[in-house]
Amino acid sequence: MPIKRVDRRKDQKLLVLAGLGGLVLIAAPVVVFSQAMGEQPSPWINAGDPAGSQFPVETGTYAVQPTQVSPLPGTAARLDKSGRLVLVASGQNREVLSNSQAAPSAGSDGAGWVNAGGSAAGDPVIAMNADGAQVAFVIGTNGALLENYQVKPSTGAVANWRVLGGANLVGMPAVAQDAAGKLVVVARAADGSLWKSQQTEPGGKTWAEWRSLPMPAAYDPAIFRDSRGKLRIFATGPDGQVRTIAQAGLSVDDWNAPQGLGGTMTGPPAVAMDDQGSLRVFALTVDGSLLDNVEVSAASDTWRGWQSRGGQFMGRPLAVADAKGCVVVHVLTVNGAVQEIFQLPDRKSWSEWHDRGGSIAKLVSSALDSQGRLVVYGISKRGGMEQTYQTIRASGPWASWESDLGGVFPTN
């Protein structure tokens, strides 16, 4: 009887496959355990990554540029790819000026103001595009929205503004990425109506037609993506009531009916997200006191009601989450001093007011630097840009106001 030949190559392959399977079985519990221990940050917490969340996409055998989605809306100051804070502001001659930190840390000297051109009727903001580039937006003197993809203060900006349309727009636009990475811009018109437009694809240069939203806006709107990925727009109406409107689904151009949050406010709202994933809204009353409202739970769109934090303030409050997820608010007094209030560790109560000093005519922006320290920018009563910052991450003390940034800016 012939002896059957043994194929040793097959046996070797089986041994290799069995070994790989064993490694998977060993590694899987480790992965599950690390997730259970919370090593992965919550999706709504800004970890200070200037590039945002990256989603690589492959087409055939070629990998395309990954989509980068920032958790933060556009503001006048934000981190670029190199980890430096970039700041934009409107100059005395209605041009847009940009500056950046000379090094990725708070308090470092600025690289110097660069004239980016344009014809600004309001204050500019910068947002991150899906390709990771900084994009500036401003409403022009012609009432249309202007866009500039070439905000590069370190190498010299280019006056390359593109008109995105819109009619009779005023004030400062609100910008954020949706869940897919498309930029969405919201702005108010002189008649108090609210308008929006958005990129037709993430990072694309084609924008959808402007459409009106069924919500009045007497002041500049605010926008934020909630912890489930839906964009939410907030605006104070001519009746003083703050209202909000949410996307009907992720990355769609359909919107739910507006919801009234009540109140009798004067001025624009400010929005931030706490480390529980709940949105918090801040606004000033007619007598100048600060009120805040918070969702009952993350992305619930159900609100607890307004609570007064006292004070006598003016202008737009600035709200931002610090490196530990604590919401910090800065507001300007009628005498030009900056006051600060922040959440306490229990996230249910608030600190007393802290005087951060200054002789400021207009607050411009607050942001985290690459080391997680808060930086606040403001235009002094003399017209120059000044800054103050935390000397320790998510803590004090704060540095004295510095006027090294210079420049000349409108104080109203």
Side-chain angles (χ1 to χ4, degrees):
M1 182 176 181
I3 298 175
K4 187 176 180 181
R5 184 178 178 182
V6 177
D7 191 340
R8 297 184 180 278
R9 289 176 298 176
K10 289 184 178 179
D11 290 345
Q12 291 172 350
K13 289 181 180 179
L14 290 172
L15 287 172
V16 170
L17 290 174
L20 289 174
L23 289 174
V24 170
L25 290 174
I26 293 171
V30 175
V31 172
V32 172
F33 178 75
S34 66
Q35 290 179 344
M37 292 301 292
E39 291 183 8
Q40 299 297 322
S42 300
W44 52 79
I45 297 301
N46 172 33
D49 177 11
S53 302
Q54 299 187 10
F55 302 96
V57 180
E58 291 195 6
T59 305
T61 59
Y62 299 94
V64 300
Q65 176 72 27
T67 299
Q68 299 181 6
V69 183
S70 170
L72 300 177
T75 59
R78 65 175 299 125
L79 288 171
D80 66 7
K81 290 181 180 179
S82 69
R84 296 173 306 163
L85 281 172
V86 178
L87 176 67
V88 291
S90 297
Q92 286 280 45
N93 298 319
R94 298 184 182 275
E95 74 280 19
V96 175
L97 301 175
S98 59
N99 203 341
S100 70
Q101 292 176 314
S105 61
S108 62
D109 294 335
W113 291 101
V114 176
N115 190 337
S119 182
D123 294 322
V125 297
I126 45 179
M128 190 181 77
N129 199 31
D131 59 6
Q134 300 274 26
V135 187
F137 296 90
V138 71
I139 293 171
T141 53
N142 60 354
L145 183 71
L146 306 179
E147 170 198 53
N148 192 337
Y149 270 81
Q150 300 183 11
V151 184
K152 301 177 180 179
S154 60
T155 58
V158 179
N160 188 24
W161 293 92
R162 208 161 61 101
V163 179
L164 296 184
N168 299 317
L169 302 178
V170 294
M172 183 172 69
V175 189
Q177 288 179 317
D178 67 12
K182 297 191 298 290
L183 285 172
V184 178
V185 179
V186 183
R188 63 186 175 99
D191 63 1
S193 56
L194 199 61
W195 295 80
K196 66 160 287 294
S197 182
Q198 66 183 47
Q199 291 174 324
T200 55
E201 60 181 4
K205 293 189 177 181
T206 303
W207 287 71
E209 293 291 329
W210 286 88
R211 57 174 292 190
S212 62
L213 294 174
M215 191 166 75
Y219 305 93
D220 296 337
I223 189 170
F224 214 105
R225 195 172 68 242
D226 70 19
S227 51
R228 292 183 182 173
K230 293 182 181 180
L231 287 177
R232 309 265 285 278
I233 300 168
F234 300 82
T236 304
D239 58 356
Q241 182 176 181
V242 176
R243 296 175 177 85
T244 180
I245 188 171
Q247 280 181 310
L250 295 181
S251 190
V252 300
D253 198 14
D254 295 321
W255 297 78
N256 295 326
Q259 176 186 2
L261 302 185
T264 305
M265 310 301 181
T266 177
V271 183
M273 184 182 292
D274 62 24
D275 57 0
Q276 305 302 307
S278 296
L279 292 178
R280 290 183 174 270
V281 185
F282 304 86
L284 299 182
T285 62
V286 176
D287 65 2
S289 61
L290 179 73
L291 269 61
D292 75 280
N293 204 339
V294 62
E295 291 179 296
V296 172
S297 59
S300 65
D301 207 14
T302 302
W303 299 82
R304 293 189 184 279
W306 294 100
Q307 298 291 321
S308 177
R309 303 301 166 195
Q312 190 172 3
F313 307 109
M314 65 179 206
R316 173 196 289 268
L318 302 178
V320 64
D322 70 10
K324 293 183 179 179
C326 169
V327 174
V328 183
V329 183
H330 292 93
V331 201
L332 191 63
T333 69
V334 293
N335 297 322
V338 176
Q339 299 287 311
E340 177 191 70
I341 193 172
F342 50 85
Q343 288 179 302
L344 295 176
D346 62 7
R347 299 298 189 260
K348 296 179 181 179
S349 52
W350 289 78
S351 71
E352 297 179 350
W353 285 100
H354 296 264
D355 187 0
R356 300 306 179 200
S359 180
I360 305 300
K362 179 180 179 181
L363 282 174
V364 176
S365 187
S366 60
L368 292 180
D369 73 357
S370 60
Q371 298 182 32
R373 297 181 295 190
L374 274 173
V375 184
V376 178
Y377 298 96
I379 298 172
S380 73
K381 293 183 177 181
R382 294 172 293 182
M385 186 69 69
E386 298 191 1
Q387 63 177 336
T388 183
Y389 52 89
Q390 291 174 324
T391 58
I392 300 174
R393 174 180 180 269
S395 182
W398 284 69
S400 299
W401 285 88
E402 298 178 354
S403 57
D404 295 346
L405 293 175
V408 180
F409 304 90
T411 56
N412 53 21

